[in-house]
Amino acid sequence: FMTSVNDIRSKFLDYFQSHDHELVDSAPLVPRNDPTLMFVNSGMVPFKNVFTGVEKRDYSRATSAQKCVRAGGKHNDLDNVGFTARHHTFFEMLGNFSFGDYFKEQAIEHAWHMVHKEFGLPKDKLLVTVYHEDDEAFDLWKKIAGLSDDRIIRIATSDNFWMMGDTGPCGPSSEIFFDHGDHIWGGPPGGPEEDGDRFIEIWNLVFMQYEQHANGDRTDLPRPSIDTGMGLERIAAVLQGTHDNYQTDMFKALLAGVADVTNTDIGDKGDQSRRVIADHLRSMSFLISEGVLPSNEGRGYVLRRIMRRAMRHATLLGANEPVINKLVGSLVREMGQAYPELSRGEAMIKETIKLEEERFLKTLSRGLQILEDETEGLSEGATLEGATAFKLYDTYGFPLDLTQDALRQRGIDVDQKGFDEAMAAQKAEARKNWSGSGDAASEAIWFKIADQKGATEFLGYETEKADGEV
Ligand code: ATP
Ligand code: MG
Ligand code: MG
Ligand code: MG
């Protein structure tokens, strides 16, 4: 018997509900209370104003499974996808929260009860970190969990001290790690091999006990709070006896779909591409379900980057027609019950993906050919000229990170400064050559639109036509 991802989500939420936590639905990925944030990237984001006291709710404890995207900004795991067994661009964060209600001792009690009793993880497979000055947390882990001293690791870096921003609530954190065993490369947190997949961080507890002031002072919060986040995909992997998120029931189903539409086999050399596609399918579908559309600026551009990157991986698997849109049905089967917006939006999500696939497939293979030609003589450690990366962007619709992703395995870098310069030069040139109507207001509007849409929609289209490809 294997506990499914859907069962694990329920089990977590049920436990905290039965301990007087209000069950709160996931907030949308597009943040409603934070203009500085691209996408919600942790469970606490929707509660920010509750933690600071700006907003009052009629409960002081909550639990949620929050949709998260980490594909840009401060938390960017895009480059990790396909390379680690534990990072996604889209994932679900399970959390329990106390708004000035219980604090450190009860938070550790709940967490220990959850992992050890409810999920049944053995003590000798678990270890925790605490902030180096947080003796209180160290002693509580010893007392509550009975962990030996060498399993409570003191960490002095900012990894174990959380801050909401330059000012506001902050405090030490404690992370719970699962040891998947020495057949997997990696070492314990704080050590030289911590980037491996052997010791995997499953849960992060934040003890908000101070307030950071603009003048640098740090004072005690009158009513400290708790914020925790557990990666659903990671705990599912643990409970299903694998160190690899992509071996869980949900991802296996998605990967089977990818293999199917690309006529490839699980286990052949295309595994990495299949993983990227399965991962990106989730983030693109959830974003589209909220009305985010691929475009050349802001959130829409993050979405476009995710989509086009997935599409390149589909062509690596031999697909030369739109296939990713055909996977939406399997995602809805896996996640539609927990997230009805997916079921409701199914047709629209599919259509949006298909359109973007058709649009990009027109230039993708030409662009890849050019990339091939331009890097033919380059060996590991070399750098691709920024001007070439810009041409790929400008004429063939290659987001910079797609080019970087394509060259990464060969150890070739892209000259990002050169890319930025080429971009700036093109914008300056366009302004200089603009004779326009002499009407300053309409010129300003034109340039605003051109900047937003990017050159792809303008010059790229003409180039395509000149080449007789459309
Ligand atoms: P890591 O050090 O492994 O990158 P993190 O410390 O950045 O994780 P947190 O910000 O503490 O992660 O998020 C809380 C929890 O969410 C983590 O303990 C982990 O279980 C999960 N998590 C974080 N990032 C990802 C991701 N990109 N994909 C899947 N799960 C994630
Ligand atoms: Mg991280
Ligand atoms: Mg971490
Ligand atoms: Mg963490």
Side-chain angles (χ1 to χ4, degrees):
F1 171 77
M2 192 174 72
T3 318
S4 71
V5 168
N6 284 319
D7 292 342
I8 296 164
R9 186 194 301 107
S10 303
K11 189 161 182 164
F12 183 97
L13 298 175
D14 288 350
Y15 171 84
F16 283 104
Q17 260 190 297
S18 72
H19 288 82
D20 305 318
H21 290 64
E22 177 88 5
L23 176 63
V24 178
D25 282 345
S26 174
L29 285 164
V30 176
R32 300 295 146 100
N33 62 353
D34 191 344
T36 65
L37 194 63
M38 187 77 83
F39 299 118
V40 169
N41 56 22
S42 75
M44 66 77 59
V45 171
F47 300 112
K48 261 189 183 176
N49 291 338
V50 189
F51 282 117
T52 55
V54 170
E55 191 187 328
K56 291 267 173 290
R57 304 259 170 114
D58 52 12
Y59 46 82
S60 59
R61 303 171 172 205
T63 185
S64 68
Q66 174 64 45
K67 304 186 274 188
C68 295
V69 165
R70 293 190 176 183
K74 191 175 116 196
H75 285 291
N76 186 358
D77 287 331
L78 191 59
D79 291 335
N80 285 323
V81 173
F83 292 91
T84 75
R86 67 183 195 281
H87 285 104
H88 304 294
T89 52
F90 171 94
F91 64 100
E92 290 177 76
M93 202 184 284
L94 303 168
N96 59 290
F97 308 92
S98 156
F99 311 112
D101 190 282
Y102 61 83
F103 194 50
K104 210 175 282 186
E105 176 156 18
Q106 238 187 312
I108 291 178
E109 267 167 11
H110 277 311
W112 184 248
H113 190 87
M114 193 74 224
V115 293
H116 188 51
K117 291 276 168 5
E118 297 287 322
F119 288 147
L121 304 183
K123 199 188 287 191
D124 63 359
K125 295 270 184 199
L126 293 164
L127 60 165
V128 301
T129 61
V130 296
Y131 190 54
H132 67 131
E133 292 167 350
D134 194 357
D135 295 330
E136 193 187 3
F138 189 99
D139 294 342
L140 284 168
W141 276 117
K142 231 175 134 150
K143 184 182 100 182
I144 293 164
L147 290 176
S148 55
D149 286 10
D150 60 331
R151 295 195 158 264
I152 311 173
I153 302 168
R154 291 178 187 265
I155 303 272
T157 66
S158 60
D159 270 359
N160 280 65
F161 195 90
W162 180 88
M163 303 183 75
M164 191 181 278
D166 294 336
T167 59
C170 60
S173 69
S174 180
E175 297 184 327
I176 305 176
F177 286 75
F178 185 82
D179 178 3
H180 281 285
D182 59 12
H183 59 294
I184 295 149
W185 185 81
E193 294 181 344
E194 70 169 319
D195 283 340
D197 284 325
R198 175 177 169 184
F199 292 88
I200 289 195
E201 177 191 332
I202 52 173
W203 204 350
N204 196 91
L205 317 180
V206 177
F207 312 124
M208 283 183 216
Q209 63 189 94
Y210 307 114
E211 170 142 18
Q212 179 73 43
H213 300 274
N215 66 3
D217 287 353
R218 203 173 268 174
T219 53
D220 286 340
L221 279 176
R223 298 173 64 207
S225 290
I226 292 294
D227 152 34
T228 85
M230 173 189 257
L232 174 60
E233 297 77 3
R234 293 188 190 180
I235 185 68
V238 171
L239 295 176
Q240 295 182 12
T242 168
H243 77 285
D244 181 355
N245 289 8
Y246 293 88
Q247 299 286 340
T248 56
D249 63 310
M250 172 168 306
F251 270 102
K252 274 203 204 148
L254 297 179
L255 290 169
V258 179
D260 190 33
V261 299
T262 54
N263 287 312
T264 57
D265 290 312
I266 301 288
D268 75 16
K269 62 179 174 24
D271 266 344
Q272 191 187 28
S273 289
R274 276 186 295 273
R275 286 165 178 239
V276 172
I277 294 168
D279 173 87
H280 289 14
L281 171 70
R282 299 207 311 166
S283 43
M284 71 177 85
S285 300
F286 272 96
L287 289 173
I288 295 167
S289 79
E290 288 186 19
V292 181
L293 293 174
S295 76
N296 283 341
E297 56 148 2
R299 297 193 171 96
Y301 196 57
V302 175
L303 172 60
R304 171 161 282 166
R305 283 163 49 206
I306 292 170
M307 295 175 88
R308 295 196 167 183
R309 205 182 229 234
M311 290 167 199
R312 183 183 77 89
H313 281 279
T315 65
L316 287 183
L317 293 173
N320 42 29
E321 55 177 74
V323 290
I324 296 172
N325 70 90
K326 295 180 184 163
L327 298 165
V328 175
S330 64
L331 177 64
V332 171
R333 268 196 302 284
E334 291 300 314
M335 301 191 74
Q337 195 151 11
Y339 296 97
E341 63 269 36
L342 277 186
S343 319
R344 275 199 307 272
E346 182 169 352
M348 192 262 295
I349 297 167
K350 212 173 137 89
E351 193 55 30
T352 304
I353 297 176
K354 189 152 174 249
L355 274 174
E356 182 72 2
E357 289 191 280
E358 285 166 355
R359 194 183 286 139
F360 189 43
L361 283 172
K362 284 188 197 154
T363 55
L364 176 58
S365 58
R366 274 289 312 273
L368 287 175
Q369 188 57 53
I370 285 170
L371 190 59
E372 187 72 40
D373 296 345
E374 296 281 341
T375 56
E376 215 184 322
L378 298 186
S379 47
E380 203 170 325
T383 303
L384 177 73
E385 273 181 58
T388 308
F390 181 70
K391 182 177 163 196
L392 287 168
Y393 161 82
D394 189 38
T395 309
Y396 298 95
F398 278 36
L400 179 61
D401 69 274
L402 186 157
T403 303
Q404 288 166 329
D405 185 42
L407 297 178
R408 181 167 163 185
Q409 273 200 323
R410 290 167 58 196
I412 300 172
D413 247 3
V414 179
D415 171 16
Q416 182 150 0
K417 201 163 149 269
F419 176 89
D420 293 340
E421 281 163 9
M423 173 92 86
Q426 193 209 53
K427 282 185 179 165
E429 189 65 17
R431 276 190 177 82
K432 208 174 76 195
N433 294 337
W434 171 257
S435 49
S437 61
D439 170 359
S442 67
E443 280 183 33
I445 291 170
W446 190 91
F447 280 113
K448 188 159 176 258
I449 295 170
D451 281 349
Q452 284 174 356
K453 291 188 78 89
T456 318
E457 306 284 331
F458 298 99
L459 309 175
Y461 187 58
E462 270 170 29
T463 312
E464 277 173 45
K465 278 203 287 204
D467 285 343
E469 283 204 4
V470 173

